Amino acid sequence: MWVIAKHESLQLLKSVKSILVLLFLLGCAYAGVSVTELLKSSFDMMHENDLSVSGSEAMIHSIGLSFAILIFGPLFAFILTHDVMNRDIEQRTMRFLITKTERQKIVLGKVIGHLIFWFTIITISYLLIFILSGYFSFLAFFQSASFISVFVGLALILSLIIKKPIFSSFISILLGIAFPILSFWAMFSDKWVLSIFKYGTPYNYLEDDNMLFFVNFAFTTVYILLAIYLFRKKDV
């Protein structure tokens, strides 16, 4: 399992798409800090208290990165994970893997590898904010990590439902674009159908400065368990 996880995370870290995603997030983090510092200087928003212990100040400095993850995170997660299972099935390498280890461990190894990759680049991005501003928002960090993990889990399921990577690639792009739009629509809509839908979106559990983001980790766990069930039933 851990060998598979290591292989998946290293393959992601070396891919061109992953490097571009990392550079984009770093750019958003840098832009967010720069704009925040500019606004503070322009409007004389310096506080008398010690800002280094202010959670809200740390959140403000990370707003650029957080915004980028909320808008583009689903698309990036789907694009990078949509073929995590069906690629090996199509290339027949999955038949070799299932003779060496249990199906459950294959699924866990692959999803852990992708989660390690995302936690790595999110950590690097928030460390950049800390280097530039001196602030590190642990709340924003864990909210971002929990948010992305949900879409990694959904992409894992997509990879098991859609047989061909070329088709899952197309569908993942559509989902990555549609999901944020539908989620924001549901959160601000008065229609009861959409109001119900919002409770199934990870966006709903990032609204307040509390620990509701753990609900997103629970969603991820459910998706992984569903993926394990699907893979056990799947003929490879």
Side-chain angles (χ1 to χ4, degrees):
M1 180 176 74
W2 294 110
V3 174
I4 296 174
K6 180 181 177 181
H7 173 76
E8 289 291 329
S9 59
L10 289 178
Q11 287 295 109
L12 278 173
L13 288 170
K14 292 187 294 184
S15 72
V16 175
K17 290 187 293 185
S18 300
I19 294 173
L20 292 176
V21 169
L22 175 58
L23 292 176
F24 177 80
L25 293 181
L26 291 176
C28 291
Y30 178 81
V33 173
S34 300
V35 171
T36 301
E37 292 295 330
L38 179 62
L39 291 175
K40 284 176 60 179
S41 301
S42 301
F43 296 99
D44 195 24
M45 296 174 60
M46 299 299 295
H47 298 283
E48 294 180 359
N49 61 315
D50 182 12
L51 293 178
S52 62
V53 296
S54 173
S56 60
E57 187 73 12
M59 287 288 286
I60 291 173
H61 279 86
S62 63
I63 193 169
L65 176 60
S66 298
F67 179 79
I69 290 176
L70 289 178
I71 301 300
F72 299 103
L75 179 62
F76 293 158
F78 275 120
I79 288 176
L80 294 178
T81 311
H82 74 89
D83 61 348
V84 62
M85 299 297 292
N86 58 18
R87 179 186 66 247
D88 287 336
I89 294 175
E90 185 179 56
Q91 295 175 353
R92 308 287 184 176
T93 54
M94 189 62 75
R95 291 186 178 182
F96 171 77
L97 286 175
I98 61 177
T99 63
K100 298 297 181 180
T101 187
E102 300 174 8
R103 293 194 177 209
Q104 173 181 327
K105 292 183 178 179
I106 294 174
V107 175
L108 289 175
K110 285 182 172 292
V111 72
I112 288 173
H114 280 249
L115 290 175
I116 289 174
F117 160 77
W118 275 107
F119 290 165
T120 299
I121 66 172
I122 290 174
T123 300
I124 293 172
S125 300
Y126 276 96
L127 284 177
L128 177 63
I129 294 175
F130 176 73
I131 292 171
L132 295 173
S133 68
Y135 303 112
F136 190 98
S137 174
F138 286 98
L139 177 60
F141 171 80
F142 283 111
Q143 284 181 336
S144 298
S146 70
F147 178 80
I148 286 294
S149 71
V150 173
F151 295 99
V152 171
L154 286 172
L156 176 67
I157 293 175
L158 178 68
S159 183
L160 286 167
I161 295 175
I162 309 299
K163 293 182 178 181
K164 298 291 185 179
I166 188 171
F167 295 142
S168 62
S169 175
F170 176 72
I171 294 175
S172 68
I173 294 174
L174 294 180
L175 289 175
I177 296 173
F179 209 99
I181 297 173
L182 293 175
S183 296
F184 282 116
W185 185 19
M187 289 176 65
F188 297 104
S189 175
D190 295 329
K191 297 181 179 179
W192 68 271
V193 176
L194 291 174
S195 297
I196 294 174
F197 172 74
K198 76 176 183 180
Y199 292 106
T201 71
Y203 292 90
N204 189 59
Y205 305 100
L206 304 177
E207 292 182 344
D208 304 316
D209 295 339
N210 53 36
M211 298 299 175
L212 275 178
F213 64 83
F214 278 108
V215 175
N216 287 338
F217 284 127
F219 279 145
T220 304
T221 302
V222 171
Y223 295 148
I224 293 173
L225 291 175
L226 178 58
I228 291 173
Y229 173 79
L230 292 174
F231 189 49
R232 283 176 175 173
K233 300 294 183 179
K234 193 173 187 63
D235 182 19
V236 297

